[in-house]
């Protein structure tokens, strides 16, 4: 077939079918971008539905390319196994190849096939190094098989949550006991390896024999105990209701966003999964904390993948839109498109990426929305993963380090954006993993904090508009004292101490120890020195400088934080934090962590007490009051980085009753309609006297998104004296005297 004849075909579906038949995937992808998108080359746009379908075609072509070149994608385990099948058939006696084959099975949904290969290798690979490799792999396979067998086939809401209750103890103990045999051997020969130590203790917990049957030399004490917390701390308790409510999407790592997408007054959940063929899911809230799956009815069929998502109303329609970020952790192989899904206001979404000006092929994981130029429309910062010594930490083979500069996209007000790779004082060509907008000096202009993996973090102070009406920035991270940690991931602005100033939390993810996550957690539990960096809590000093208060705030803990977010879980007026921990390594079965904020003075860990110490890998996190009872719940996307490391997402329903509350749903008119960036101050009178509680309307952390309703706990206060609202980009303030408490207020500018 003559390729030029293809240009005579006008039906896009027919054309794409023919292209898939006659072109290799990488040429198909190039053709799709350059030839099928006339809007990108000559300004002529196809219909919105055509562009929506073309995005689906691009995503399909990436899957086809991965099928042919699977080693580019560490999580494409089905395709990688198909590739290895032929190699093993041709080289059946190559030990290293067989070992790699077994590990690929271990990472896949065919986990059990790894065991006979490893057992056979252990028979004739008897040198100490090989024996250790096969024993470690067998221990991990058996322990993961125990998880799959007991946590899915014998599911209870308490499964995999540390400390284990009676329901969580494994009913089928065969696999976990096999794991213990190999772990005991490994510990006897390598007692200094605390990853083995950690897994051995976890195995005994799952077996119901911890601590009594754990040799004293290998015991990590207290793993089944609640934390010691002061009597005055109001620590909430939770129960996982995700499966009961039908929102326990069971796949690998991904993200979540919560909003009332349909306008029915109830909060909905949009969630993604990292896999190239993983369909996004949409759960519509129907009241009382109940949900209905509406993915296909919402027009989302074929929209796949995405490690992270952020949500905002980009066109002031009154309905939040969705931005899916793709290509993260894949270096040059992550040249994938992001997707901007416009909310049509009728329960459906349309991918408008191509005509919006956001279409580009770069590895991205983070975006943040703010009205930077104060024109009433939300702009976007998109952080890409650019040149870095750590850019290809998970990439095999040809690990080229390529530049993928980050950019600010200014909203033109017509559902299109203009890309600015550089602005006066802004340029960023780093491995970006987190970002948040805040207002560090209360001048009404949003400032940008960026978390960089393997480098110094950046703080861009907004200095207003230049003579051309474009934003100006000054990068002040060194002077402000907020460059650390060097290996960081999620981040956000919040006023943790309620003094009216935006503080910064940036959570560490030290990839230097990516294969030693459990080792580091075990060391912390044993009171030993740890090697990984600590996160940083930066207290705003009011003069564009910050003070590191991590240690005094009690956050100098081992964190390999991925998804994370914040909200007031006990209604005391101070924001608490939940952090999803883990790593691609199947041995990194460590608990996600909850820290409760006491009066803006110190954070106390209540992970075990609160029942949220899930051992499955934690990714996107969203806080929301799903059932309208005035208590914030936590939706957590769970699952690891490979196809076999799947798990149900969790919906931790808040089961405690602490304090009174009030919530606000703001609607801007001159300001952006979602009121992102609005500042709320509540003046309340408690037994201890009057105090102010501050909130900024935002979607929270940078890996997972809260809803934009501002939920404010007021503790023991029986009333609110007044509320002061300062709208973004607007003069003056709105004052409301004596609003009713324990209810949601909808307020227009």
């Amino acid at each position: 077939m003559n390729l030029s004849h293809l240009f005579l075909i006008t039906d896009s579906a027919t054309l794409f079918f023919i292209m898939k038949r006659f072109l290799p995937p990488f040429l198909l992808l190039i053709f799709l971008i350059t030839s099928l998108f006339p809007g990108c080359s000559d300004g002529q746009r196809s219909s919105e539905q055509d562009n929506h379908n073309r995005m689906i075609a691009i995503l399909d072509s990436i899957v086809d390319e991965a099928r042919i070149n699977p080693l580019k994608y560490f999580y494409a385990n089905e395709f990688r196994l198909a590739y290895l099948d032929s190699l093993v058939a041709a080289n059946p006696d190559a030990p290293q190849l067989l070992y790699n084959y077994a590990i690929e099975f271990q990472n896949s949904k065919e986990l059990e096939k790894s065991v006979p290969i490893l057992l056979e290798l252990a028979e004739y690979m008897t040198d100490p190094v090989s024996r250790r490799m096969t024993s470690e792999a067998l221990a991990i396979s058996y322990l993961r098989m125990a998880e799959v067998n007991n946590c899915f086939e014998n599911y209870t809401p308490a499964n995999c949550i540390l400390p284990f209750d009676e329901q969580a103890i494994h009913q089928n103990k065969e696999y976990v006991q096999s794991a213990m045999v190999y772990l005991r051997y490994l510990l006897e020969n390598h007692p200094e390896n605390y990853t083995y130590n950690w897994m051995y203790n976890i195995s005994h917990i799952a077996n119901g024999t911890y601590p009594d049957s754990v040799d004293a030399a290998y015991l990590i004490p207290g793993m089944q105990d609640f934390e010691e917390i002061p009597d005055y701390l109001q620590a909430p308790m939770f129960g996982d209701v995700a499966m009961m409510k039908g929102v326990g999407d069971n796949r690998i790592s991904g993200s979540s966003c919560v909003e009332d997408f349909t306008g029915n007054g109830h909060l909905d959940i949009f969630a993604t999964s990292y896999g190239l063929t993983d369909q996004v899911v949409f759960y519509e809230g129907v009241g009382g904390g109940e949900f209905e799956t509406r993915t296909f009815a919402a027009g989302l069929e074929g929209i796949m993948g995405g490690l992270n998502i952020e949500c905002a109303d980009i066109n002031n329609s009154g309905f939040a839109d969705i931005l899916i970020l793709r290509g993260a952790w894949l270096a040059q192989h992550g040249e994938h498109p992001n997707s901007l899904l416009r909310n049509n206001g009728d329960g459906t979404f349309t991918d408008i990426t191509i005509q919006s000006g956001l279409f580009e092929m770069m590895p991205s994981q983070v975006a943040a929305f703010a009205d930077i130029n104060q024109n009433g429309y939300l702009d976007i910062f998109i952080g890409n993963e650019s040149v870095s010594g750590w850019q290809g930490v998970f990439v095999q083979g040809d690990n080229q380090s390529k530049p993928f500069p980050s950019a600010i996209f200014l909203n033109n007000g017509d559902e299109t954006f203009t890309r600015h790779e550089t602005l006066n004082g802004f340029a960023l060509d780093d491995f970006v993993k987190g970002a948040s907008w805040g207002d560090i000096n209360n001048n009404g202009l949003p400032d940008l904090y960026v978390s960089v993996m393997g480098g110094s973090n950046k703080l861009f102070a907004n200095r207003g508009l230049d003579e051309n009406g474009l934003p100006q920035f000054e990068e002040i991270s060194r002077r402000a004292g907020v460059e650390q940690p060097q290996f960081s991931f999620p981040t956000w602005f919040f006023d943790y101490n309620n003094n009216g100033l935006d503080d910064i939390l940036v959570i560490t993810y030290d990839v230097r120890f990516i294969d030693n996550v459990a080792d580091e957690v075990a060391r912390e539990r044993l009171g030993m020195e740890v090697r990984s960096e600590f996160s940083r809590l930066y207290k705003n000093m009011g003069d564009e400088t910050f003070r590191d208060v991590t240690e005094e705030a009690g956050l100098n803990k081992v964190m390999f934080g991925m998804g994370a977010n914040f909200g007031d879980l006990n209604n005391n007026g101070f924001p608490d934090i939940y952090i999803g921990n883990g790593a691609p390594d199947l041995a990194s079965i460590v608990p996600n962590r909850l820290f409760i904020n006491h009066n803006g003075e110190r954070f106390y860990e209540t992970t075990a007490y609160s029942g949220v110490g899930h051992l499955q890998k934690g990714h996107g996190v969203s806080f929301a009051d799903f059932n309208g009872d005035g208590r914030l719940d936590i939706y957590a996307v769970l699952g690891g980085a490979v196809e076999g490391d799947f798990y149900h997402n969790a919906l931790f329903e808040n089961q405690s009753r602490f304090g009174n509350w009030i919530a606000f749903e703001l609607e801007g008119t001159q300001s952006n309609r979602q009121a992102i960036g609005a500042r709320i101050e509540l003046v309340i009178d408690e037994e201890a006297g009057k105090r102010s509680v501050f909130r900024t309307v935002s979607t929270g952390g940078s890996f997972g998104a809260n809803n934009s309703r501002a939920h404010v706990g007021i503790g023991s206060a029986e009333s609110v004296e007044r509320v002061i609202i300062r709208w973004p980009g607007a003069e003056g303030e709105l004052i409301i005297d004596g609003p009713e408490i324990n209810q949601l207020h909808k307020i227009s500018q």
Side-chain angles (χ1 to χ4, degrees), residues 245-259:
K245 302 295 186 181
V247 294
D249 185 36
N250 178 22
R251 290 179 297 175
I252 62 171
S253 53
S255 193
S256 57
C257 180
V258 174
E259 279 290 358

Side-chain angles (χ1 to χ4, degrees), residues 435-471:
S436 182
W437 294 95
D439 185 357
I440 63 169
N441 48 20
N442 286 342
N443 67 354
L445 300 175
D447 310 299
L448 177 65
Y449 186 73
V450 177
S451 166
V452 174
M453 178 64 69
S456 297
N457 300 324
K458 303 292 194 297
L459 176 57
F460 295 96
N462 191 333
R463 301 308 189 198
L465 304 180
D466 65 15
E467 63 276 9
N468 298 312
L470 294 175

Side-chain angles (χ1 to χ4, degrees), residues 709-732:
R709 293 176 181 174
H711 176 99
V712 189
I714 58 172
S716 62
E718 297 293 334
S719 63
V720 173
E721 184 175 302
R722 67 179 177 276
V723 176
I724 305 165
I725 299 173
R726 299 174 179 88
W727 301 90
E731 298 279 335

